[in-house]
Amino acid sequence: MNNIGLFSTLVTAMAVLAIGLGVVGPGVGMGIAIAKALEAIARQPELEKSITRWLLIGLAMIESLAIYVLVIVLIVLFRSPMLEYLTK
């Protein structure tokens, strides 16, 4: 396998690993946030709308982390500066 093929394989493997690790944190964070919100609603049902509103805002913030990971990985995957160096 030539240098470009090896480099492409390694970059793809690292991208898959980065996506996998990058979504574990937000996934765990979402699970904890939802569990705590359900506990709060169970304790104070009259505040359900307020808790739900804040939960959705928090989940959107947490989800943005996973989207940032995806964007960075796609940038590295499709616009790698090392690829230009290897093709010369």
Side-chain angles (χ1 to χ4, degrees):
M1 185 180 293
N2 58 9
N3 287 341
I4 295 174
L6 179 63
F7 178 73
S8 297
T9 303
L10 288 175
V11 167
T12 304
M14 289 296 120
V16 168
L17 183 64
I19 290 281
L21 292 176
V23 298
V24 167
V28 170
M30 284 181 170
I32 292 171
I34 292 170
K36 295 295 181 181
L38 289 175
E39 288 176 13
I41 291 172
R43 275 186 266 126
Q44 296 179 331
E46 67 275 3
L47 295 177
E48 177 185 2
K49 290 186 183 203
S50 177
I51 294 169
T52 303
R53 182 177 60 239
W54 286 108
L55 172 67
L56 292 177
I57 292 171
L59 289 178
M61 296 293 175
I62 294 170
E63 185 65 30
S64 69
L65 294 173
I67 293 170
Y68 292 151
V69 168
L70 174 67
V71 168
I72 296 298
V73 167
L74 289 176
I75 289 171
V76 168
L77 189 61
F78 292 113
R79 187 65 181 125
S80 178
M82 277 297 291
L83 193 57
E84 291 178 12
Y85 173 76
L86 288 173
T87 55
K88 288 182 183 180

